């Protein structure tokens, strides 16, 4: 459980409540500086984080793929958009995401970024998650101040242009 924004102690508490003490190790670190051995992981999971650091072509193949065992799996879930913009970015997107509006992309964009040129070493599949409404509702129900700001933007039209992008990668 490598995380830059959540302490190892907080993640360790969560890991224990899941009963995963023998399968997960909490580490407080930057995902762009992972120092794990090659072919170490059977599975790598990233939730609501990869879009912050993995948008550059070749990042996954150079930084993440070597750590996966042959036949290993990566599962990535990121907030996204239903389709790439044809023109200017909608004002509501800039209001919601600020300078980070370009962190959000479509399933097709992620598919191209991750797969093109690497078909011989990995298989990539992307799709929109079915849990969009329920996931957001859980966040809104938390009452967190950021959740309330997100809800305002969703009600102004953001809901109709966003999604959750699911990515499955298998190393050949």
């Amino acid at each position: 459980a490598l995380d830059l924004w959540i302490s190892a102690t907080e993640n360790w508490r969560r890991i224990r409540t899941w009963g995963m003490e023998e399968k997960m190790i909490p580490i407080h670190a930057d995902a762009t500086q992972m120092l794990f051995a090659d072919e170490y992981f059977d599975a790598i999971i990233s939730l609501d984080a990869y879009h912050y650091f993995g948008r550059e072509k070749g990042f996954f193949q150079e930084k993440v793929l070597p750590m996966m065992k042959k036949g290993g799996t990566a599962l990535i879930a990121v907030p996204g958009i239903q389709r790439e913009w044809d023109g200017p970015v909608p004002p509501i997107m800039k209001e919601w995401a600020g300078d980070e509006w370009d962190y959000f992309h479509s399933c097709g964009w992620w598919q191209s970024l991750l797969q093109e040129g690497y078909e011989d070493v990995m298989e990539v599949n992307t799709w929109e998650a079915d849990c969009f409404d329920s996931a957001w509702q859980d966040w809104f129900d938390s009452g967190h101040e950021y959740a309330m700001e997100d809800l305002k933007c969703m009600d102004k039209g953001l809901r109709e242009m966003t999604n959750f992008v699911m990515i499955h990668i298998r190393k050949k």
Side-chain angles (χ1 to χ4, degrees):
L2 189 135
D3 201 306
L4 179 63
W5 295 341
I6 299 173
S7 74
T9 300
E10 186 177 342
N11 270 332
W12 182 238
R13 286 186 199 115
R14 187 174 298 117
I15 290 166
R16 289 189 314 209
T17 64
W18 296 337
M20 299 294 289
E21 299 92 333
E22 301 300 319
K23 297 189 181 275
M24 296 177 76
I25 300 167
I27 299 171
H28 188 244
D30 185 335
T32 63
Q33 304 298 318
M34 294 181 283
L35 302 173
F36 297 102
D38 287 354
E39 300 183 10
Y40 183 75
F41 293 105
D42 294 308
I44 295 174
I45 300 170
S46 176
L47 302 173
D48 193 22
Y50 193 80
H51 60 296
Y52 289 110
F53 57 84
R55 296 178 321 281
E56 298 298 321
K57 186 154 185 74
F59 178 86
F60 186 89
Q61 295 80 359
E62 295 168 19
K63 300 279 188 170
V64 182
L65 192 63
M67 294 182 285
M68 294 171 59
K69 292 179 182 175
K70 186 175 182 177
T73 297
L75 300 170
I76 301 169
V78 294
I81 55 176
Q82 294 177 11
R83 61 190 94 16
E84 296 300 312
W85 317 119
D86 291 331
V89 176
I92 188 61
M93 188 66 175
K94 287 185 178 180
E95 178 183 334
W96 178 61
D99 292 338
E100 297 176 349
W101 63 266
D102 64 339
Y103 290 16
F104 303 92
H105 292 283
S106 65
C107 290
W109 186 92
W110 284 106
Q111 180 79 36
S112 294
L113 176 77
L114 295 165
Q115 186 70 74
E116 285 181 14
Y118 297 97
E119 294 83 359
D120 58 328
V121 293
M122 61 186 207
E123 297 171 3
V124 179
N125 292 297
T126 62
W127 67 96
E128 287 189 23
D130 294 333
C131 66
F132 182 83
D133 290 327
S134 62
W136 276 110
Q137 193 59 54
D138 285 348
W139 175 234
F140 301 147
D141 290 347
S142 75
H144 191 283
E145 67 180 287
Y146 291 147
M148 298 301 95
E149 291 302 313
D150 288 345
L151 178 58
K152 289 177 189 174
C153 288
M154 287 292 174
D155 289 343
K156 291 180 182 177
L158 188 66
R159 182 183 321 267
E160 288 75 29
M161 61 183 70
T162 55
N163 63 8
F164 290 123
V165 175
M166 307 301 291
I167 305 166
H168 174 256
I169 300 168
R170 188 185 70 78
K171 184 176 183 178
K172 294 183 180 181

